[in-house]
Amino acid sequence: MSRVIPAMKERLRRRILAKAPPVDLSRLDRVPDTLVWPLIREGMEPSRRLEQMRSTGGIHLLTSFLGMRIWLVTGDAETREVLAAGPERYSNDIRPLMGERGSTTDGDIGGLGFTDPPDHTRLRRLLTPEFTMRRLARLTPRIDAIIDEQLDQLEAAGQGADLVTNFSFPSPSG
């Protein structure tokens, strides 16, 4: 009996969510603190709260938000476990939560990391040829220019500049 009630609640929750209109996350005016805190740093170090979670290891349910469970994975072995478990247990597909933004004609929200197989597999096959050593070598001059630009901006920001804000974050998106 103790297993039946949670299973019934879960089935009911899924039915309700299946009938509910998608939640358009683009309309949120701010991201809830329960989703942001693992990204907050204390200087160059992760927050004490994140360090505590890392020390206990494992996979942590970070929060439940708009009907989805958000997980925090804190180690290599745990990451391998999550990746091996598959999308039935841990999903990256956020399209149902994107409202009109996620309703493009092909269903692509523009991110390989936001999809599950088989869409993830199809997109990955399309991208794999672009990551050969020969093709990446052609990008070296542009990568060098981006890094030089970001180093110049970091220097211009002066002492106390935030390495993440002024260099690490903008570099891959340059």
Side-chain angles (χ1 to χ4, degrees):
M1 183 72 169
S2 63
R3 291 184 193 177
V4 174
I5 293 175
M8 289 172 60
K9 284 182 180 178
E10 179 62 19
R11 259 189 304 214
L12 179 61
R13 185 186 73 79
R14 285 183 186 180
R15 286 181 71 183
I16 291 169
L17 287 174
K19 291 180 181 183
V23 176
D24 187 353
L25 296 178
S26 67
R27 295 178 189 220
L28 292 177
D29 60 348
R30 71 179 197 85
V31 178
D33 291 338
T34 56
L35 299 176
V36 175
W37 75 260
L39 304 174
I40 296 171
R41 313 283 273 172
E42 293 172 3
M44 296 297 285
E45 301 299 320
S47 69
R48 287 186 192 103
R49 185 174 174 191
L50 181 56
E51 280 298 322
Q52 289 170 341
M53 291 188 95
R54 282 180 172 175
S55 69
T56 62
I59 301 166
H60 308 274
L61 179 60
L62 185 60
T63 190
S64 291
F65 178 70
L66 299 174
M68 61 183 166
R69 293 179 295 182
I70 311 293
W71 299 93
L72 176 64
V73 183
T74 59
D76 186 58
E78 294 83 3
T79 300
R80 290 177 191 278
E81 178 185 332
V82 167
L83 292 173
E88 300 80 26
R89 187 156 175 217
Y90 301 101
S91 175
N92 287 325
D93 194 345
I94 63 170
R95 289 174 293 182
L97 304 167
M98 293 302 293
E100 290 181 20
R101 267 190 172 173
S103 63
T104 60
T105 55
D106 60 2
D108 180 20
I109 60 169
L112 183 63
F114 299 117
T115 59
D116 292 332
D119 292 331
H120 178 89
T121 308
R122 177 183 56 81
L123 293 170
R124 187 172 173 179
R125 273 196 202 113
L126 289 171
L127 289 173
T128 297
E130 298 302 318
F131 289 92
T132 63
M133 291 305 290
R134 180 177 294 148
R135 289 192 181 178
L136 290 175
R138 291 188 312 205
L139 297 175
T140 300
R142 179 63 187 136
I143 293 169
D144 289 343
I146 291 168
I147 297 303
D148 287 342
E149 289 169 23
Q150 291 311 131
L151 287 172
D152 290 344
Q153 288 183 20
L154 184 64
E155 184 177 23
Q159 274 193 327
D162 186 318
L163 184 64
V164 172
T165 302
N166 297 98
F167 181 80
S168 299
F169 184 76
S171 292
S173 53

